[in-house]
C-alpha cells in the first residue's frame, strides 16, 4: 500500500521577501543576537542561533553565561559567542551591563531560550523590554519572568507604531502563566492575546497545532492570522527554540513584527513538514527541523520579475 503523506505543505507563504541579489553581502541581511542558555540548557540558545543563520541572517552571535560559552561555540563554527558574567549556572546581575554595550550594533535580538529564571535574567528582560528602538523576540523563561514580575500591567513597556517590534512566542503553558487563559482553551487564549496586543502594541505568536499570530495591523488591534504549515512531529524538545531564531532573523532582515511572526511561523512549519517527510513524525527532532529550514528557506523569497508580475 502506498503510504499517505499527510505532511506536505502546498500553500504559499503569507508574504515574501526579495531573493538575494547577485551582489549581496552579509551586511545586507542583518546582524542578530540571541540571548539565553544556562548550564544544562546550552542546546536551546544554540538551536535559536543556528535557526537564525538558516533563515538567512548575515551575522549571528549568541550572548550566553560564560560557563557555557565553549559548549555553545562548539555547535556551529559560524556562530560568534559572547560570554557574560554568571553565577556558575546562569546570567549574573552584572551581565546586563556588558550585554547593553552590544545592543546598538544589532538589527534584532531574541531572548529567552534556556535562560532560566533569576535576578540576572530578569534585569536583561526588563532592559530589552524598555529598549524600544530595538526589535526583540521574547520566549520561554523570558515570558515566565514577565508573568512573575507582573510586567504586563506595566505601561512603561507599551510599544507604539513608531517603536521597534516586540514579538512574544509563548506555548500554551507559557501563555496561561502570562494571562491566566487556560492552555486547553484556544479561543480563550486568542482572546487574551488580542487584549494584550491591543493594549501593549506587541505581536503575540500563540504556538500550537496550528499556531496563530495576533497583532495590531494598520493601527487596529486584534488581527488574528492562522498558520497552515506544521505537524505534530514538531511536538519535540527545541522546536520552539528554533522558532525564536527564525523570527529574530526576519526582524533583523527588516520585517515588521506582524510580518516576521507570520512568515516565521509559516517557514518554521514548512521546515517541520519537510523534516517529517524526510525522517518521520515520531523520529524527527529539532535538529532535523533546523536542517530542513536551510533547505526550504528560499521558499520565502521571490525575485523582482515575480514581484512585478512580469
Ligand atoms: N536542549 C535544550 O537546551 C532545550 C531547552 N529547552 C528550554 O527549556 C526551558 C523550559 O521549557 P519548557 O517549555 O519545557 O517548560 P515549561 O514548563 O514552560 O513547559 C512545559 C509544560 O507546559 C505545559 N503545557 C501545557 N500545554 C502545553 C503545550 N501545548 N505546549 C507545551 N507545553 C504545554 C505542560 O504542563 C508542560 O509540562 C525553556 O527555557 C526552553 O527554551 C527546551 O526548549 C528543550 C530543549
Ligand atoms: N501538534 C503540533 N502541530 C504543529 N506544530 C506544533 C505541534 N506541536 C508543537 N508544535 C510547534 O513546535 C513548537 C514547540 O514550541 P515549544 O513548546 O516552545 O518547544 P521548546 O520550548 O521545547 O523549544 C511551536 O512552534 C509549536 O507551534
Ligand atoms: Mg519553548
Amino acid at each position: 500500500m502506498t503510504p499517505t503523506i499527510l505532511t506536505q505543505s502546498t500553500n504559499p507563504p503569507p508574504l515574501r521577501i526579495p531573493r538575494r541579489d547577485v551582489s549581496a553581502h552579509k551586511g545586507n541581511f542583518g546582524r542578530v543576537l540571541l540571548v539565553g542558555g544556562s548550564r544544562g540548557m546550552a542546546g536551546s540558545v544554540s538551536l535559536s542561533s543556528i535557526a537564525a543563520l538558516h533563515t538567512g541572517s548575515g551575522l549571528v552571535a549568541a550572548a550566553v553565561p560564560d560557563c557555557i560559552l565553549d559548549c555553545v561555540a562548539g555547535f556551529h563554527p559560524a556562530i560568534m559567542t559572547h560570554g557574560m558574567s554568571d553565577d556558575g549556572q546562569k546570567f549574573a546581575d552584572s551581565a546586563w551591563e556588558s550585554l547593553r554595550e552590544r545592543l546598538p550594533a544589532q538589527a534584532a535580538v531574541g531572548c529567552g531560550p534556556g535562560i532560566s529564571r533569576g535576578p540576572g535574567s530578569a534585569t536583561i528582560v526588563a532592559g530589552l523590554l524598555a529598549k524600544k528602538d530595538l526589535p526583540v523576540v521574547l520566549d520561554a523563561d523570558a515570558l515566565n519572568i514577565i508573568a512573575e514580575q507582573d510586567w504586563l500591567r506595566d505601561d512603561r513597556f507599551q510599544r507604539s507604531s513608531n517603536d521597534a517590534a516586540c514579538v512574544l512566542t509563548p506555548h500554551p503553558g507559557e501563555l496561561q502563566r502570562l494571562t491566566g487563559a487556560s492552555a486547553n482553551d484556544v479561543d480563550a487564549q486568542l482572546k487574551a492575546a488580542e487584549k494584550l496586543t491591543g493594549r501593549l502594541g506587541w505581536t503575540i505568536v500563540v504556538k500550537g497545532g496550528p499556531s496563530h499570530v495576533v497583532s495590531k495591523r494598520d493601527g487596529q488591534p486584534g488581527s488574528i492570522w492562522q498558520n497552515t504549515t506544521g505537524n505534530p512531529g514538531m511536538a519535540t524538545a527545541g522546536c520552539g527554540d528554533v522558532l525564536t531564531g527564525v523570527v529574530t532573523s526576519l526582524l533583523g532582515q527588516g520585517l515588521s513584527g506582524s510580518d516576521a511572526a507570520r512568515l516565521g511561523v509559516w517557514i518554521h512549519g514548512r521546515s517541520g513538514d519537510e523534516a517529517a517527510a524526510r525522517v518521520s513524525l515520531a523520529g524527527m527532532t529539532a535538529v532535523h527541523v533546523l536542517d530542513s529550514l536551510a533547505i526550504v528557506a528560499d521558499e520565502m523569497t521571490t525575485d523582482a520579475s515575480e514581484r512585478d508580475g512580469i
Side-chain angles (χ1 to χ4, degrees):
M1 201 172 79
T2 316
T4 312
I5 297 178
L6 299 172
T7 54
Q8 212 73 49
S9 334
T10 50
N11 57 308
L15 60 134
R16 290 178 194 267
I17 55 177
R19 191 176 289 271
R20 291 181 176 219
D21 193 80
V22 283
S23 61
H25 61 87
K26 64 187 175 190
N28 297 134
F29 305 107
R31 174 191 287 267
V32 300
L33 182 68
L34 279 304
V35 183
S38 52
R39 255 187 98 72
M41 291 197 286
S44 55
V45 68
S46 308
L47 287 165
S48 306
S49 305
I50 300 167
L53 271 183
H54 287 191
T55 310
S57 292
L59 286 151
V60 180
V64 300
D66 204 45
C67 57
I68 63 164
L69 182 136
D70 291 345
C71 181
V72 172
F75 281 117
H76 200 298
I79 307 283
M80 292 167 286
T81 40
H82 307 305
M84 306 281 144
S85 55
D86 65 59
D87 65 3
Q89 294 283 328
K90 55 188 186 300
F91 287 117
D93 282 3
S94 53
W96 168 246
E97 291 308 318
S98 41
L99 181 63
R100 183 165 59 177
E101 288 169 14
R102 297 199 171 270
L103 299 182
Q106 309 304 326
V109 169
C111 173
I115 198 171
S116 296
R117 280 174 258 182
S121 304
T123 307
I124 288 172
V125 175
L128 292 174
L129 276 175
K131 193 162 168 42
K132 298 186 189 181
D133 59 351
L134 179 66
V136 66
V137 180
L138 297 169
D139 183 39
D141 268 336
L143 303 174
N144 296 325
I145 287 168
I146 292 174
E148 268 176 11
Q149 303 285 338
D150 215 8
W151 283 335
L152 293 185
R153 292 175 194 273
D154 198 328
D155 290 345
R156 273 182 310 155
F157 299 137
Q158 277 180 357
R159 295 210 178 193
S160 75
S161 52
N162 295 324
D163 293 325
C166 176
V167 181
L168 271 55
T169 57
H171 65 51
E174 288 156 348
L175 191 58
Q176 178 170 337
R177 286 176 209 131
L178 279 169
T179 65
S182 166
N184 300 317
D185 185 342
V186 179
D187 286 347
Q189 291 228 312
L190 290 175
K191 262 190 202 139
E194 211 176 353
K195 211 168 145 189
L196 261 187
T197 296
R199 201 166 58 74
L200 291 169
W202 301 348
T203 290
I204 302 180
V205 176
V206 180
K207 293 192 292 200
S211 292
H212 294 83
V213 174
V214 184
S215 56
K216 222 173 177 176
R217 270 195 282 161
D218 305 323
Q220 300 301 310
S223 149
I224 299 180
W225 174 85
Q226 183 175 303
N227 189 40
T228 47
T229 56
N231 61 76
M234 298 174 78
T236 181
C239 272
D241 302 333
V242 171
L243 181 70
T244 305
V246 169
V247 179
T248 304
S249 170
L250 292 173
L251 285 178
Q253 292 176 62
L255 269 63
S256 68
S258 168
D259 285 354
R262 288 181 298 134
L263 185 57
V265 163
W266 185 89
I267 195 69
H268 178 250
R270 177 71 191 93
S271 309
D273 291 344
E274 166 71 20
R278 191 166 49 89
V279 189
S280 69
L281 281 180
M284 62 188 271
T285 68
V287 173
H288 295 114
V289 177
L290 264 187
D291 292 344
S292 292
L293 181 59
I295 291 164
V296 301
D298 279 350
E299 293 183 19
M300 292 185 292
T301 68
T302 185
D303 60 30
S305 61
E306 284 171 312
R307 276 203 313 282
D308 300 341
I310 298 166

